Amino acid sequence: MGGIEESERPLKRVKVPSGGSDSLSANLSLTEPREPASGFSLRDSMAWSPSSQGDKDAIGSKGIIKRPEFIKIITRALYSLGYSKSGDQLQKESGIPLHSTVVDLFRQQVVEGKWDESVDTLHRIGLSDEYIVKSASFMILEQKFLELLKKEKIKDALSTLRNEIVPLSINVSRVHELAAYIIFPSSSAVGGPSSQDAAGSKSQSAILEKLQKLFPAAIMIPEKRLEQLVEQALDVQRDACAYHNTFDSELSLYSDHHCGTNHIPSQTLQVLQAHCDEVWFLQFSHNGKYLASSSKDRSAIIWEVKDDGEVSLKHKLTGHQREVSIVSWSPDDQQLLTCGVEESIRRWDVNSGECLHIYEKAGVGLISCGWFPGGKGVFSGMTDKSICLWDLDGRELESWKGQRTLKISDIAITDDGKRIMTMCRENAILLLDREAKCEKLIKENQMITSFSLSKDNKYLLVNLFNQEIHLWRLGGDPDVVSRYRGHKRTRFLIRSCFGGLEQAFIASGSEDSKVYVWHRDTPEPLFALPGHSGAVNCVSWSPTNPHMLASGSDDYTIRIWGLDQVKLKNRDNQKNGINHHSKGKT
Amino acid sequence: MMDVDPRQYENVAINDSDIHNIVLSYLVHNCFKETVESFISCTGMKQPADYQEDMEKRKRIFHFALEGNALKAIELTEQLANDLLEKNKDLHFDLLSLHFVKLVCSRKCTEALEFAQTKLTPFGKVQNYVEKLEDFMTLLAYEEPEKSPMFRLLSLEYRQQVADSLNRALLAHANLPSCSAMERLIQQTTVVRQCLNQELSKDPPPPFSLKDFLKS
C-alpha cells in the first residue's frame, strides 16, 4: 500500500510524484494507487518524472544543486515573505510539494490545535531519532496540558500530565514546573497558561516554529534557509575581498563583492590651510565628527567634519607658549587636551573653544598627555621621567617614576584603564599593568620614534628609526606579527596609525612628502600618495568613515583624502556580468 | 593527634544533680514517661506534678506526626497549644504537607489535589512556600510517586524531621528548652574539639568522632 511505502523510504529526497501538477497527486501515497499496477510498482511510477517537469534533476552551472531541494527552499522563502498564494502556486506548477503529505497533515493539525491527532500523525512521519519524536510529543502535549488548565479542566490536565507526558521521561524539570501550574495557574511569566493565549492563532504558529527547529531539515525545511545561504555567500565574498573597506550595508546581491584598492582613500579631496607652521599632530575625534590638529605654530585647531565630508575650521586654540606636539580627545569628544612641548597641558571645551584648565607641575615640563578612560582624569609624561595622573581639577591622584626617556612623547592607555604604555629607554616600550603592578617591555633593536595603540587594544604599531614600522601583538608575551616598509624617515618624527574598516589598514607619514598606506597583511605599501610639498609628519584615519584619511605636513597644510570617484565609476560600469571570483588574496 | 592531657579531666569536679538534670532533660524531651517516673523516684529529685500529663500529650502528638497522621497531630496540637501553629507557619505547612503526602501515597489523587488547592495554596503568598509546594505537586504528576525525583518527601526520614520540629515547638511553647541538655553538650564538645584541632595543627584536622573519644 502506498502509505507503508512512503514511510519505509528514507526521507532524504522526496521524489516528484507522478501525475503532473495536481495536488491530488500528493495524496497518492496514502491511498490505493489509481492506475492499475501494470508492471511497475508505485515506487517506480513516483520516481519517473514526466517531461513537463523538465529533464534535469540538477541545476546550476556546476550541476551540484538538486532541483527539488532548490524549489523547496524557494517555496519556503515565498511563504516566509508572506506570499502564500505564490507559494501554493509554485508547489502546483513545479509539482514539488514543500512537505510530504504526512508532514502537511501534521502541521495542519498543530495549527488547528488538534493535539492528540497531531501526536498520532507525528509517529507516522517515520523519524528515526526517538529523541526528536519524544521532544516533539512533549511540546505538543505541553500545549494540550496548558490549554486544559486554562479551560479549568484540572483533572484532565493532571491526567494528561501523568499518563501522557511523564511516561516520555524527558525534560523532567519542565514536568516539575508544569505540576506547579496545577495550583498556581498564574505563576511565571514565561510558559504559564495565563501568559499564553491558548486559543490565539499566534501561539499556534509559535508552537509550529518551535517544533520546526526539532525536525531534521530534510523533513521540514527550516525557515529562512534561502536567506541563510545568501548570507553565507556574502560572507565568503567579504572574506575573500583582499582590501575590504566598505560597510556591510553597501554589499549588493547583484554582483560579487570585490573592493579592490578602489575603496581605500587615495585622492586629495581638500587641502586645509590654517596653520602658520609645520603640522605635527592630527587626530579625528571618536565619533568622526571632528578633527584636531596641532602645530609648531603653538596653536591647535578643531575642525568640523560635515555629513557630506567637508571639513571646516571650528576653533583655533591659542595660548601655549611652546609648540603643540600632541592632542587627545576625551572619551565623549566634548573636550580636547593639548600638550605644549616641555611646558603644560591645556584642557579645552570643544563647543566653545574655551580653555577650561591648565595642568602644570613646578619645575617640570610636560611632554605627553592623554585621557584616563571614563574621562575622569588626565595623565601626562614629564621631563623628569615620571608619569602623573590628575583628576579634572588638577589634583594629583597617582604618579609613577622610573626609567622614562626624555624625548619621546608617546603614551597610551588601554580602554579599561589597566595598562599604560610608555617609552622607556630609546629602544623599548614599557607596558605597565596598574592592577597587577607588573611591567613588561617591548624591546626593539632600533630606536623607536613613535607608537600607537589599536582600537581593540590588542596591537601596538611602532615606528622605528630604520624606516620600518612594526606591528606588535600584545597579550601574554608581546611579539612582532608584521613589518612594513616603503616610507622614508631619516631625521624627523614620523607617525603612523591604524585605520579603515576594522582597522585593517596602516597609514603613515613619510619624509618624501607622500602618505603611505598598507594593508595589515602585506609588508609592501598599497599606495604612496603624492600631494604634500613637505615631509608628512602625521596621519589620522576617521574611526567612523573608512574612506576618510587626514595627513599633516611640514608644508603647513592638512590634506583630506577620500575615494577616487573616477576609478570607482569606471569599475561600476564594468560590473554587469558574473564575476568569477578567484580564491584568496593577492 | 595532639590532645588535651587526659589527666586534666580528673581535676574537674562534677555535681551529681547536674548529671541528673541532664539525664532528665533527655528523657523528658523524648517523652520516656515511665523512665522519667522511675528515674525521679530513684534519684529523689523534685519535679512539678503536671509534667507527666503534658509529656503524655506531647508523646501522642509526636507519634501521630511520625505515622503520617498529620490531621490528628494538628488537632491535638491545637488543643494543647492553640496559637502554636499560627506562630510557626513553616511547621504548619510541613504538617499539612504530610497529610498531602499520605493522600498521594494512598493514590487518592483527586482528594490530594483538592486538599492542596484549599489548604496549601493559601501559603503561596510567600516565595519560600511556593517552591516547596512545587516540589510536592510534582508527586502528583507521577503514577508512581516513589519513582519521581521528589521521592524523599515520602520517606520516614522526612516525617521524622517534621515530627521532631513539632516536638521542639511544643517544648518551647511550654517554656522548656527545645534542645535537650545532652544534645547541647555533645554539640558543644564536637565544635570545641574541631576548633582545638584546627588551632593545633595546620593540616585539615580529621573530624571529631564522639565514639572514638568516648572509647579512649
Side-chain angles (χ1 to χ4, degrees), chain A residues 12-14 57 59 64-76 96 98 218 221 225 229:
Chain A
K12 272 201 113 170
R13 189 204 296 196
V14 172
D57 226 12
I59 54 180
I64 53 174
I65 302 178
K66 303 182 182 76
R67 182 191 203 83
E69 286 189 1
F70 195 59
I71 304 278
K72 281 195 196 181
I73 291 178
I74 296 176
T75 314
R76 195 78 184 85
I96 299 178
L98 184 55
I221 316 288
R225 179 61 184 154
L229 288 170

Side-chain angles (χ1 to χ4, degrees), chain A residues 22-58:
Chain A
D22 191 339
S23 62
L24 202 61
S25 68
N27 291 324
L28 215 59
S29 55
L30 291 183
T31 59
E32 289 290 315
R34 298 283 169 89
E35 52 261 60
S38 55
F40 54 86
S41 69
L42 186 64
R43 184 183 286 208
D44 288 342
S45 75
M46 288 181 83
W48 179 73
S49 16
S51 57
S52 63
Q53 313 288 355
D55 16 317
K56 278 193 292 189
D57 226 12

Side-chain angles (χ1 to χ4, degrees), chain A residues 203 218 291 317 349 361 381 486:
Chain A
S203 82
L291 177 64
L317 312 172
D349 178 279
K361 208 167 180 185

Side-chain angles (χ1 to χ4, degrees), chain A residues 154-155 158 161-163 166 172 175-176 179-180 182-184 187, chain B residues 109-110 113 117 121 133-135 137-138 140-143 149-150:
Chain A
I154 305 206
K155 299 209 181 72
L158 187 57
L161 186 59
R162 285 166 68 100
N163 305 326
V166 168
V172 176
V175 169
H176 196 99
I182 296 180
I183 40 173
F184 291 127
S187 76
Chain B
C109 294
T110 330
L113 181 59
Q117 281 172 316
T121 45
L133 249 183
E134 285 181 6
D135 288 346
M137 289 310 295
T138 310
L140 268 186
Y142 289 80
E143 290 247 317
M150 291 286 135

Side-chain angles (χ1 to χ4, degrees), chain A residues 70-103:
Chain A
F70 195 59
I71 304 278
K72 281 195 196 181
I73 291 178
I74 296 176
T75 314
R76 195 78 184 85
L78 285 172
Y79 282 114
S80 305
L81 292 166
Y83 304 126
S84 36
K85 280 199 213 145
S86 301
D88 293 338
Q89 184 65 20
L90 181 54
Q91 286 191 75
K92 274 199 193 149
E93 239 184 292
S94 66
I96 299 178
L98 184 55
H99 299 122
S100 69
T101 336
V102 183
V103 173

